[in-house]
Amino acid sequence: MWSKLGRRVMPAAAAAAGASVPVLKAYDGVVPRKPTSCEGKLDPNARGMAVCGEALIDMLPRKTSAGEAAWLPKVGGSPFNCCLAANRLGVPVTYVGGLSTDMFGEVIYDFLHGEGVNLSVCPRFPKNPTTLAFVSKGEHGEKYAFFKENAADRSVTKKHVSVGMSSGKFQAVHLSLGAVTLEDEQMVETFNEFYRLAKQQGSLRSFDPNIRESMITERPAVYAKRVEAMLASVDLVKMSDEDFYFLYGRDADMTKVAEKLLNLGPGLVVYTMGGDGAVGFVKVGAAIQKIHMPLPKECAAKKTINFEGQWVPFADSVGAGDSFSGGLIAGCVGSPETSLLPQLVERRPFGSREVNLVSDVLKLSATVAAMNCSQVGCNPPPLSAVKQHTLHGPFQYLKI
């Protein structure tokens, strides 16, 4: 909404809920002075997370009362969903992706604004439309058809992210792909600048390749090289089993690939495995340590846990992986006593304590994703629900 002065005001629902939203200033295209470099070192004054990448409208399949096919518009996009998940887990989020000023862009803006996400450095594009993603459900999950030509979320430049990253000092940054892929050279330049500036700040750099096969024209082996090149700039990478199969094939050894990826740059590699839970890999000395977080037996019966801790029918998986990513970043940031940032950013060695911390972080992430699946569409849970109803019981090491 707009006030009479032309400035965004907090939606009434958010105000009633007590959401704290910063005053938004118009983006004027001026790049602020760069902050002092903390490259490779944690900055004790850093706070929160910056997220880059697409925000779009998911068109979810429905039936009319007459039984005809229809689609329900819902705000979404992998980075957008991660914004929601991390913010609801207590990590202040700044969104530096691009938004259109069309009707859908306004809906996305108002939704994020109402959630308390900082949009003060989010570039707006009046001449570029919002990406639309039509979702269909099949036997093996959701499939997507994207309408993204000349879209706002594909119009973000190095200058835009420079403005965003200069607006504060961040503990973490995150990028996920989707409708935007690494075949888009302009966006790759933008993403590389995003990670370069994050390294300069001493931020945790998180990445999710989030493969949408219909959006990629190259052979998987060729596209895998693009992903691996990006990993040289990353501290944490999470991918789904389907991402893995696309990039490396169903016969590839996940542990061997994880070792390869760890040698490229990340300090933590995580695969989400659907009903089989999640698995993380870190280096402990010269050895590769595998940490598995299975799902409870109830999940095998197509059930999941809701915000009240009840086992309910599985609704859908829209946003589950992104909710997992939000939990993963929130858990890695942790608290001053239980943070994995020294290992992931400063590259201090992993020991048994840190391996146990990774296990708790995976438990947190799996709980967030499971709760998200209790409802249709992406709707990640608040931290209070996650802490009260954590899968496999309370955290043993993590404080958040």
Side-chain angles (χ1 to χ4, degrees):
M1 295 183 293
W2 293 90
S3 71
K4 292 183 179 179
L5 297 177
R7 179 177 296 174
R8 286 275 182 177
V9 295
M10 188 187 305
S20 175
V21 181
V23 175
L24 305 183
K25 299 178 180 178
Y27 169 62
D28 58 11
V30 177
V31 181
R33 178 178 57 85
K34 291 183 178 180
T36 304
S37 173
C38 296
E39 187 168 323
K41 296 181 181 179
L42 297 175
D43 187 336
N45 297 315
R47 293 290 182 272
M49 176 172 88
V51 174
C52 188
E54 68 199 24
L56 48 78
I57 297 294
D58 281 322
M59 306 296 284
L60 304 180
R62 293 291 184 272
K63 293 284 187 181
T64 67
S65 58
E68 298 173 322
W71 278 265
L72 174 68
K74 289 282 189 178
V75 289
S78 180
F80 172 95
N81 295 338
C82 188
C83 279
L84 293 189
N87 202 64
R88 291 181 183 181
L89 293 173
V91 179
V93 175
T94 296
Y95 181 59
V96 300
L99 292 178
S100 175
T101 58
D102 65 14
M103 59 180 288
F104 291 122
E106 293 297 289
V107 169
I108 295 170
Y109 190 109
D110 286 339
F111 192 99
L112 287 173
H113 189 207
E115 287 282 333
V117 172
N118 179 15
L119 297 167
S120 62
V121 287
C122 168
R124 306 300 304 275
F125 296 93
K127 296 181 179 180
N128 304 84
T130 299
T131 297
L132 303 180
F134 283 78
V135 185
S136 64
K137 291 186 178 182
E139 183 179 348
H140 301 291
E142 284 78 24
K143 292 186 177 180
Y144 295 82
F146 291 96
F147 295 83
K148 62 174 187 174
E149 189 65 30
N150 197 36
D153 50 15
R154 300 176 68 200
S155 303
V156 181
T157 65
K158 293 167 61 175
K159 185 176 181 180
H160 292 126
V161 296
S162 180
V163 170
M165 290 302 293
S166 298
S167 68
K169 296 181 179 180
F170 301 101
Q171 290 173 294
V173 302
H174 177 71
L175 164 67
S176 6
L177 302 177
V180 177
T181 77
L182 296 180
E183 292 178 322
D184 187 324
E185 296 294 344
Q186 176 196 302
M187 294 308 298
V188 170
E189 288 184 4
T190 299
F191 298 152
N192 283 333
E193 181 70 358
F194 181 59
Y195 281 139
R196 186 188 71 80
L197 294 170
K199 182 177 182 180
Q200 195 175 76
Q201 288 194 10
S203 307
L204 170 72
R205 298 163 297 167
S206 170
F207 177 61
D208 180 354
N210 193 39
I211 300 295
R212 295 291 180 255
E213 189 171 346
S214 62
M215 293 293 99
I216 298 170
T217 61
E218 296 174 330
R219 292 183 296 108
V222 175
Y223 194 77
K225 295 299 182 184
R226 291 185 183 271
V227 172
E228 291 171 2
M230 184 65 70
L231 295 188
S233 302
V234 168
D235 305 305
L236 163 65
V237 61
K238 171 246 141 187
M239 67 176 72
S240 70
D241 50 358
E242 291 300 321
D243 295 339
F244 179 92
Y245 298 146
F246 175 83
L247 294 171
Y248 299 106
R250 292 185 176 271
D251 296 329
D253 186 304
M254 286 190 159
T255 301
K256 289 183 179 179
V257 172
E259 182 175 11
K260 174 185 179 180
L261 302 185
L262 288 169
N263 288 331
L264 290 174
L268 172 60
V269 173
V270 175
Y271 303 137
T272 55
M273 309 292 294
D276 292 327
V279 59
F281 297 86
V282 298
K283 281 187 176 181
V284 180
I288 302 299
Q289 179 76 48
K290 177 180 177 180
I291 307 109
H292 182 215
M293 180 53 58
L295 294 179
K297 63 182 185 301
E298 289 85 352
C299 295
K302 290 291 183 180
K303 290 196 172 184
T304 191
I305 193 170
N306 66 12
F307 293 8
E308 289 74 41
Q310 302 164 330
W311 287 100
V312 296
F314 179 93
D316 71 27
S317 61
V318 173
D322 310 320
S323 296
F324 187 101
S325 291
L328 193 61
I329 297 164
C332 287
V333 170
S335 64
E337 306 87 39
T338 62
S339 174
L340 288 168
L341 297 185
Q343 283 67 42
L344 297 176
V345 177
E346 296 182 335
R347 298 308 170 100
R348 299 182 191 178
F350 277 87
S352 59
R353 174 183 176 276
E354 288 75 34
V355 169
N356 288 328
L357 261 179
V358 171
S359 182
D360 268 0
V361 170
L362 294 178
K363 183 192 294 188
L364 165 70
S365 307
T367 302
V368 175
M371 287 183 169
N372 179 79
C373 292
S374 69
Q375 303 173 70
V376 174
C378 184
N379 185 18
L383 179 59
S384 57
V386 175
K387 292 176 73 171
Q388 189 171 357
H389 305 296
T390 311
L391 297 179
H392 303 299
F395 303 125
Q396 298 299 307
Y397 299 90
L398 179 66
K399 294 180 181 180
I400 186 172

